[in-house]
Amino acid sequence: MKITLKVWRQENAAAKGAMHTYELDGVSSDMSFLEMLDLLNEQLVTSGEEPVAFDSDCREGICGMCSLMINGQAHGPEVTTTCQLHMRSFNDGDTITIEPWRAEPFPVLKDLVVDRSAFDRIIQAGGYISANTGSAPEANSVPAPRDKAMRAFNVATCIGCGGCVAACPNGSASLFLGAKITHLGELPQGQPERWSRVVDMVGQHDHEGFGGCTNIGECAAACPKEIPLDVISQLNKDLRTALKNGH
């Protein structure tokens, strides 16, 4: 395959960025999208140019590092992570536009790399449970209803990639936040801090500059782990209850 790439290049956080065009030949349809970028970087290094900076880690669809807007879609045309997107989803001769996440709380650091530490600060604000240190308790020592345990397990698959924020016209992180709130709120271990957790995490979310949710649904459509939109309803329900009870 021969493709044309239009890639956002930005030297650092303070520099002004711009789109650069590259022609890339010899792309296999079996390559992952990131392997295609590796091929581009090999070409750039060989010609004495600066390689394109982009995030990646596990390349197995688990870590959530591979955050790219591809032809205007978070992670590209398939419901998967960028690292699990393959070039067979494109055609020979295609022009592919690649950009970093576009959200004020995710400032661009270089090229396609953004700073997503805002998510870390939201988790630090309350995305945890208090437990005595020491040896791990036996898994079944705290009974949990199966339906709640399965719901907690399913929403815990959120990998914090930020695709929901990038897809949302408002730049809201409500799907990410709702997944974390629902995950802990469904479990017995999460009950002691349930109400203070939602207030603190929502407060941090707003402090970071994320937008408000207007239930457009683009976040759930772009989520590579298919987190359901109803976690936002759970988030709002818990927040109302917490504020009503004076938390």
Side-chain angles (χ1 to χ4, degrees):
M1 293 172 60
K2 184 176 182 179
I3 57 175
T4 299
L5 298 174
K6 293 185 176 180
V7 184
W8 181 262
R9 302 302 308 266
Q10 185 172 331
E11 185 176 357
N12 54 53
K16 184 178 180 179
M19 300 299 292
H20 289 234
T21 301
Y22 305 100
E23 300 293 334
L24 190 60
D25 205 351
V27 177
S28 168
S29 60
D30 292 327
M31 283 182 172
S32 73
F33 199 85
L34 296 188
E35 288 172 335
M36 180 275 294
L37 289 179
D38 290 337
L39 184 64
L40 170 65
N41 280 343
E42 289 176 11
Q43 177 178 296
L44 292 176
V45 170
T46 301
S47 62
E49 298 181 62
E50 180 77 12
V52 176
F54 62 91
D55 272 329
S56 70
D57 190 3
C58 73
R59 298 200 178 198
E60 295 180 348
I62 298 171
C63 70
M65 288 292 290
C66 51
S67 50
L68 299 177
M69 291 295 287
I70 303 168
N71 288 342
Q73 296 178 279
H75 297 299
E78 310 289 345
V79 182
T80 187
T81 54
T82 303
C83 64
Q84 296 298 296
L85 177 68
H86 287 79
M87 295 309 296
R88 54 180 168 265
S89 296
F90 303 91
N91 299 312
D92 186 29
D94 276 358
T95 296
I96 304 174
T97 301
I98 310 172
E99 302 171 90
W101 286 165
R102 299 297 191 184
E104 185 176 344
F106 292 159
V108 177
L109 298 178
K110 182 176 182 179
D111 295 340
L112 304 174
V113 179
V114 299
D115 180 0
R116 286 174 292 175
S117 57
F119 271 11
D120 297 331
R121 292 188 289 272
I122 290 175
I123 293 298
Q124 290 167 0
Y128 54 83
I129 61 173
S130 294
N132 294 328
T133 58
S135 60
E138 202 279 326
N140 295 317
S141 61
V142 181
R146 185 180 184 280
D147 58 337
K148 290 184 177 293
M150 290 304 298
R151 179 163 166 77
F153 178 83
N154 289 336
V155 300
T157 58
C158 169
I159 54 178
C161 65
C164 52
V165 178
C168 178
N170 304 327
S172 173
S174 293
L175 192 74
F176 163 79
L177 186 56
K180 302 307 177 184
I181 292 295
T182 302
H183 166 211
L184 296 178
E186 291 285 9
L187 298 175
Q189 297 92 329
Q191 299 312 305
E193 292 112 347
R194 181 172 181 175
W195 310 119
S196 60
R197 175 186 302 116
V198 67
V199 171
D200 292 343
M201 292 181 74
V202 169
Q204 189 66 39
H205 169 279
D206 296 345
H207 176 75
E208 296 292 344
F210 292 104
C213 175
T214 50
N215 288 311
I216 295 172
E218 292 293 330
C219 55
C223 178
K225 297 303 178 181
E226 301 184 87
I227 302 298
L229 198 61
D230 65 2
V231 298
I232 300 178
S233 300
Q234 187 64 54
L235 164 66
N236 292 332
K237 180 180 178 180
D238 277 17
L239 181 60
R240 287 194 300 269
T241 301
L243 294 177
K244 181 179 179 181
N245 293 332
H247 289 275

